[in-house]
Amino acid sequence: MSFNVRNPVVSIAAVLTAALVLSACSPSVKVRSDVAPDTNMSQFQTYNFFSQMGVEGENYSNLLGQHFRDAINSEMSVRGYKLSDSPQLQINVSIGAEDKVRVNTYNDPYVYGGHYGYRGYGYYGSPWYGGGTRTTVHQYTEANVYIDMVDSAERQLVWQGVATFTVTDKMQENIRETVQTTVNSVFEQYPVPAPGQ
């Protein structure tokens, strides 16, 4: 399994929006993970981060990368991993975003030749007819936060956790808390559980 650093072309605003909408473990956030075959993540004892992670590129806020580093440090530390200058695991975080369109088509009932009456029934002798269909178009952004772990010796991706969500207008202003919530959600699927899990 080879490792590819994602380099999405998204604006700073889109990236900050992607980070912010993850607060409070919204039901719209979906988390999935995968581990390389025959890999025991507990065999690794040390870790560090890529010198420049995907979320620290030119399209991103420097603080965003630091927030992810802090949150992941907490998750790794509680599982017994040690930060090292010669790590067995290297960690990368990247964000990808894609604009999408949702089209909904539904029946639009109406009463032909009359008026609505009590509880929606027609009156003045008018029959009830189905009124054809209506279509709504909704543009939205689907974002993914990727947390990748690479075996330093083999240069292979050994674990990946992904949070997928729809960017909404309802955002929180505390980016650090938002990132922490996102990382916590992803690490709930990490193969080495935290004490008490």
Side-chain angles (χ1 to χ4, degrees):
M1 189 181 308
S2 59
F3 174 70
N4 292 314
V5 176
R6 294 163 191 81
N7 188 14
V9 181
V10 291
S11 67
I12 294 175
V15 171
L16 291 177
T17 300
L20 289 169
V21 298
L22 287 168
S23 62
C25 293
S26 167
S28 63
V29 178
K30 297 179 182 178
V31 177
R32 65 185 188 278
S33 66
D34 193 18
V35 63
D38 302 321
T39 299
N40 179 3
M41 296 303 293
S42 62
Q43 70 180 308
F44 303 104
Q45 299 176 343
T46 60
Y47 75 98
N48 210 322
F49 299 90
F50 277 54
S51 58
Q52 184 181 58
M53 298 191 299
V55 293
E56 296 170 325
E58 61 183 16
N59 291 325
Y60 303 91
S61 161
N62 290 335
L63 280 177
L64 187 60
Q66 188 58 52
H67 293 330
F68 273 106
R69 288 173 184 262
D70 292 343
I72 292 172
N73 277 333
S74 296
E75 292 289 345
M76 296 297 281
S77 176
V78 76
R79 288 168 171 79
Y81 294 93
K82 303 296 182 185
L83 195 62
S84 171
D85 291 333
S86 300
Q88 295 170 306
L89 286 172
Q90 290 181 293
I91 300 175
N92 184 50
V93 179
S94 56
I95 296 176
E98 181 180 0
D99 291 330
K100 294 191 174 185
V101 175
R102 180 184 295 118
V103 179
N104 294 321
T105 301
Y106 56 93
N107 289 331
D108 184 20
Y110 66 94
V111 176
Y112 176 76
H115 304 278
Y116 280 105
Y118 178 66
R119 292 185 179 171
Y121 290 99
Y123 62 96
Y124 295 147
S126 301
W128 180 272
Y129 289 96
T133 60
R134 292 186 64 185
T135 300
T136 61
V137 178
H138 174 65
Q139 293 182 329
Y140 66 99
T141 300
E142 184 175 88
N144 297 284
V145 173
Y146 301 87
I147 300 177
D148 296 332
M149 295 195 184
V150 176
D151 183 331
S152 298
E154 301 294 332
R155 300 292 298 169
Q156 290 187 337
L157 181 66
V158 291
W159 184 80
Q160 181 182 76
V162 185
T164 301
F165 54 92
T166 299
V167 177
T168 67
D169 293 331
K170 187 177 181 180
M171 301 183 299
Q172 302 293 324
E173 294 189 4
N174 190 336
I175 297 177
R176 179 184 293 274
E177 181 179 345
T178 299
V179 170
Q180 183 70 59
T181 300
T182 303
V183 171
N184 289 349
S185 298
V186 173
F187 269 83
E188 286 179 0
Q189 295 192 12
Y190 190 70
V192 180
Q197 282 189 343

